[in-house]
């Protein structure tokens, strides 16, 4: 089954074709990073126009790269949230028009569910597993029971993990997005240079605002020429230690044999290395899965994969229509089978 995926939830316009949820035939992404850099974050109105400018051409290009016509596509999957509503609508409207014109099934995908599915791409991963989802908007530990059933067992109480990377990146004078740029700066730093606090919250929950404030206070006290690489490395060390500790203890408590990481922060190489080390010292056989680097940050391949796994779930397309007409009425709860 070939699914065309469309993703426009934030600052990446992406279109992909994936076969049977795992085989990526083509994944084309146009990033808007350069357009948002001067604002230090995503500017929704610019994001919307940038998506509109490229979406039709990108759909055409993707089909042509795959040497396929829309008639040869079995279903269309599109991100319906969470994300910037005006950006989401650009992709949703195109998906709906194409589904109607070519008489294809339209599948609405929760973006976070999409990130989990990025782990099925070009991999043989099968549920059950424990997933750490760390993106720019969310930090969650999810008990994935089957391809479509899961339970969120931990979440952030304030800032998301990627958001914390972005904010500290800004504080260090790095350009948007802070996460990958902070990782580059941290390469030349000493991760033990500064002792930073760890939030005391419930075992699977997260809180990054105290850490953010501690870094801010520290910078205010340090001389102007303080070693930024050391601070970046110490921050990264603190956050990745917390993430790894929590996912490892969730896996242990749930007696899970597989841990999985997803979302933009999953691209962080220190985090990836530490997760591999958990495998080495877990004692019991434990498999660690991570998406290919190109599928960690936002992409349509993960949305097309989600479409495949959600193909038999019932969705209320009328609700999707309401969402298209009145963005404020979006309630992911109404999409019964995608409750993330
Ligand atoms: O999943 P994603 O592309 O978008 C959302 O759904 O939010 O995640 C983007 C987030 C940003 O906050 C970005 O700074 C962070 O992921 N990120 C990283 C790295 N690459 C992206 N954080 C740390 N290290 C990285 N290498
Ligand atoms: Zn994302």
């Amino acid at each position: 089954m070939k699914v065309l995926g469309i993703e426009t939830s934030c600052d990446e316009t992406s279109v992909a074709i994936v076969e049977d949820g795992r085989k990526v035939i083509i994944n084309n992404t146009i990033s808007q990073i350069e357009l948002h850099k001067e604002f230090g974050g995503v500017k929704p109105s610019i994001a919307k126009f940038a998506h509109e400018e490229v979406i039709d051409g990108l759909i055409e290009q993707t089909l042509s790269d795959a040497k396929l016509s829309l008639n040869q596509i079995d279903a269309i999957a599109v991100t319906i949230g969470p994300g910037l509503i005006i950006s989401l609508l650009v992709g949703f409207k195109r998906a709906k028009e194409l589904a109607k014109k070519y008489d294809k099934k339209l599948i609405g995908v929760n973006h976070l569910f999409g990130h989990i599915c990025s782990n099925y791409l070009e991999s043989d991963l099968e549920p059950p597993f424990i997933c750490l989802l760390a993106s720019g908007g969310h930090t969650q530990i999810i008990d994935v029971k089957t391809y479509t059933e899961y339970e969120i067992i931990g979440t952030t109480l304030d800032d998301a993990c990627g958001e914390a990377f972005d904010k500290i990146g800004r504080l260090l004078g790095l350009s948007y997005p802070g996460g990958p740029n902070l990782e580059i700066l941290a390469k030349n730093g000493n991760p033990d240079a500064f002792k930073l606090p760890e939030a005391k919250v419930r075992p699977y929950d997260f809180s990054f605002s105290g850490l953010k404030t501690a870094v801010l206070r520290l910078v205010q006290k340090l001389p102007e020429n303080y070693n930024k690489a050391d601070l970046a490395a110490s921050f990264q060390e603190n956050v990745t230690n917390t993430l790894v500790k929590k996912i490892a203890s969730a896996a242990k408590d749930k007696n899970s044999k597989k841990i999985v990481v997803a979302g933009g922060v999953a691209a962080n190489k220190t985090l990836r290395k530490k997760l591999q080390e958990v495998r080495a010292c877990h004692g019991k056989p434990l498999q660690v899965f991570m998406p290919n680097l190109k599928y960690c940050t936002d992409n349509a391949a993960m949305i097309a994969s989600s479409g495949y796994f959600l193909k038999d779930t019932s969705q209320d397309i009328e609700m999707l229509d309401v969402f298209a007409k009145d963005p404020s009425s979006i309630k992911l709860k109404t999409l019964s089978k995608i409750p993330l």
Side-chain angles (χ1 to χ4, degrees):
M1 177 178 177
K2 293 188 186 74
V3 179
L4 176 84
I6 300 177
E7 155 67 40
T8 62
S9 68
C10 191
D11 59 346
E12 253 103 28
T13 318
S14 188
V15 180
I17 300 168
V18 173
E19 192 164 4
D20 296 339
R22 297 187 188 264
K23 184 169 175 250
V24 182
I25 297 175
I26 184 95
N27 178 59
N28 284 326
T29 303
I30 297 176
S31 169
Q32 303 175 1
I33 283 178
E34 288 305 319
L35 299 177
H36 300 290
K37 248 182 187 165
E38 66 171 294
F39 305 103
V42 179
K43 203 160 162 62
S45 56
I46 290 183
K48 171 188 185 274
F49 284 116
H51 286 308
E52 275 173 342
E53 215 165 79
V54 300
I55 185 83
D56 293 329
L58 198 62
I59 294 171
E60 233 170 79
Q61 179 72 47
T62 304
L63 287 162
S64 132
D65 288 349
K67 298 190 175 52
L68 291 169
S69 72
L70 259 163
N71 291 317
Q72 294 165 289
I73 297 292
D74 300 292
I76 299 175
V78 61
T79 310
I80 53 164
L84 302 171
I85 292 288
I86 56 173
S87 289
L88 285 162
L89 282 174
V90 176
F92 180 72
K93 278 184 181 156
R94 293 309 187 282
K96 208 176 81 172
E97 281 159 16
L98 290 177
K100 200 165 171 214
K101 186 166 169 198
Y102 292 88
D103 193 23
K104 303 291 171 190
K105 185 176 166 81
L106 178 65
I107 305 163
V109 176
N110 179 300
H111 183 80
L112 306 181
F113 183 81
H115 275 300
I116 298 174
C117 290
S118 66
N119 277 282
Y120 300 131
L121 298 170
E122 287 155 10
S123 122
D124 54 7
L125 172 67
E126 287 176 13
F129 54 82
I130 297 289
C131 180
L132 165 71
L133 191 147
S135 70
H138 296 81
T139 312
Q140 295 176 336
I141 294 185
I142 305 162
D143 184 359
V144 179
K145 298 166 199 281
T146 69
Y147 285 106
T148 53
E149 294 165 302
Y150 35 79
E151 185 189 348
I152 298 169
I153 58 172
T155 190
T156 182
L157 306 178
D158 39 59
D159 291 359
C161 183
E163 188 183 356
F165 266 97
D166 292 339
K167 285 179 178 167
I168 299 302
R170 216 174 301 150
L171 184 72
L172 291 166
L174 302 171
S175 67
Y176 173 83
N181 290 325
L182 190 147
E183 178 175 17
I184 294 167
L185 177 65
K187 268 190 198 148
N188 299 317
N190 172 9
D192 302 318
F194 297 103
K195 195 156 168 39
L196 298 168
E198 192 190 329
K200 288 191 177 51
V201 291
R202 289 192 316 169
Y204 310 146
D205 284 343
F206 301 90
S207 165
F208 295 108
S209 75
L211 172 64
K212 187 183 64 189
T213 310
V215 174
L216 182 66
R217 294 229 172 93
L218 183 63
V219 169
Q220 284 163 348
K221 272 194 255 155
L222 287 169
E224 221 169 281
N225 63 345
Y226 73 95
N227 189 322
K228 289 188 174 175
D230 279 355
L231 187 54
S234 302
F235 169 79
Q236 181 176 257
E237 183 72 4
N238 179 295
V239 173
T240 52
N241 279 345
T242 301
L243 294 177
V244 171
K245 193 169 91 182
K246 299 211 170 213
I247 177 92
S249 81
K252 201 163 173 228
D253 296 349
K254 297 275 173 189
N255 214 5
S256 174
K257 295 183 179 61
K258 294 175 198 166
I259 60 174
V260 168
V261 63
V265 181
N268 186 279
K269 295 197 188 62
T270 302
L271 175 65
R272 294 171 84 92
K273 187 163 165 268
K274 286 186 182 180
L275 284 167
Q276 292 295 3
E277 287 161 7
V278 169
R279 184 175 65 174
C281 61
H282 193 257
K284 286 190 229 155
L286 182 75
Q287 284 183 287
V288 177
F289 290 82
M290 313 175 195
N292 185 307
L293 280 181
K294 59 180 180 250
Y295 304 129
C296 289
T297 45
D298 293 349
N299 66 86
M302 68 187 197
I303 303 304
S305 169
S306 308
Y308 173 78
F309 292 109
L310 293 171
K311 64 185 186 308
D312 299 324
T313 60
S314 61
Q315 284 191 347
D316 188 348
I317 295 296
E318 284 309 309
M319 274 317 297
L320 297 181
D321 266 338
V322 171
F323 153 57
K325 282 183 206 129
D326 175 12
S328 63
S329 73
I330 182 169
K331 281 199 180 54
L332 287 166
K333 275 198 298 239
T334 57
L335 299 169
S336 56
K337 294 284 171 21
I338 12 180
L340 271 178

